Amino acid sequence: MVKKGYHHGNLKLALVDAALKLIETQGPQGFTLSEAAKEAGVTPAAVYRHFAGRDDLIAECARQGFEIFADLMAHAYNDGRPSALRAFEATGRAYLAFARKFPGHYMAMFESGISLNRNPDLARAAERSRAVFTRAAESLSKHIPAEKRPPAAMFAAHILAMSHGVVELYARGAPGARAPFPPEDLLETGIGIYLRGLGLVPQDA
């Protein structure tokens, strides 16, 4: 029987919420479908109304995460305002903020081993989030002479990799606990060095 208070329309959401809690505490591969059902207050059989198995449930957590992530990135980018450079830097800070505020989603997206092509909806959501970074890189790289300009997708991938590295190494758990500098400072400095190398930020005097 479905737990009192859950109706057919929100059972799927209840299962996703349960999975996110378990992902945060036990890791994306550290729980069973039965545990997710128990956390949601439903029988294991009820899970199959919406999901074929645990990986489908994790994939839905990841899909939702990428949708939230894309919205946050787009808000941070703010259509390139007040400047292409400031908007680009804001997307890096938003990456750190997302990882802290939505750890279950982040782990489902990047640490579960789920293929981003598992289903079309997940693939589209993941691509939408990447597109924000690519659009920001395209706008900023217009200030680089064409003969020195890296492909926007490569430019974006470098910043994504840097942001992801700072999150994984220094922003998980207590902020700054494993580094002598706040993660935000590490990322901002790293992006600054990268952009200086491209000639987008003036060299220090």
Side-chain angles (χ1 to χ4, degrees):
M1 295 294 291
V2 175
K3 186 176 180 180
K4 186 176 181 181
Y6 288 156
H7 302 288
H8 183 72
N10 63 10
L11 173 57
K12 183 176 181 179
L13 178 60
L15 289 166
V16 170
D17 287 344
L20 288 169
K21 290 178 184 177
L22 290 167
I23 289 170
E24 288 184 35
T25 58
Q26 299 174 210
Q29 299 297 337
F31 69 96
T32 65
L33 204 59
S34 293
E35 287 176 304
K38 182 178 180 181
E39 178 70 29
V42 302
T43 65
V47 179
Y48 293 99
R49 298 180 191 175
H50 295 286
F51 302 103
R54 186 186 63 175
D55 284 355
D56 278 353
L57 177 54
I58 293 173
E60 176 59 17
C61 293
R63 185 200 65 78
Q64 290 188 12
F66 277 114
E67 295 288 3
I68 296 168
F69 186 53
D71 288 343
L72 287 176
M73 292 300 104
H75 179 76
Y77 181 58
N78 194 29
D79 289 327
R81 295 188 293 265
S83 69
L85 177 59
R86 296 303 173 210
F88 191 81
E89 292 172 338
T91 61
R93 291 191 295 273
Y95 194 114
L96 292 180
F98 171 80
R100 284 183 175 149
K101 188 169 183 180
F102 301 95
H105 288 97
Y106 175 89
M107 294 168 74
M109 293 156 62
F110 299 117
E111 299 177 3
S112 67
I114 296 294
S115 170
L116 298 184
N117 294 315
R118 184 176 181 86
N119 63 63
D121 290 340
L122 175 56
R124 278 192 293 268
E127 179 55 35
R128 190 166 78 88
S129 68
R130 283 193 298 265
V132 177
F133 275 92
T134 302
R135 187 164 68 252
E138 286 173 344
S139 178
L140 191 53
S141 64
K142 289 177 182 177
H143 300 279
I144 304 172
E147 68 275 9
K148 298 181 179 179
R149 188 181 303 163
M154 180 185 292
F155 188 162
H158 287 162
I159 298 302
L160 274 169
M162 191 183 306
S163 302
H164 189 74
V166 170
V167 167
E168 288 295 316
L169 292 173
Y170 303 116
R172 302 295 297 276
R178 289 174 285 177
F181 309 102
E184 288 81 4
D185 292 351
L186 286 172
L187 183 57
E188 184 175 345
T189 301
I191 290 176
I193 292 170
Y194 180 83
L195 296 181
R196 268 190 203 90
L198 293 175
L200 290 168
V201 174
Q203 296 291 334
D204 293 334

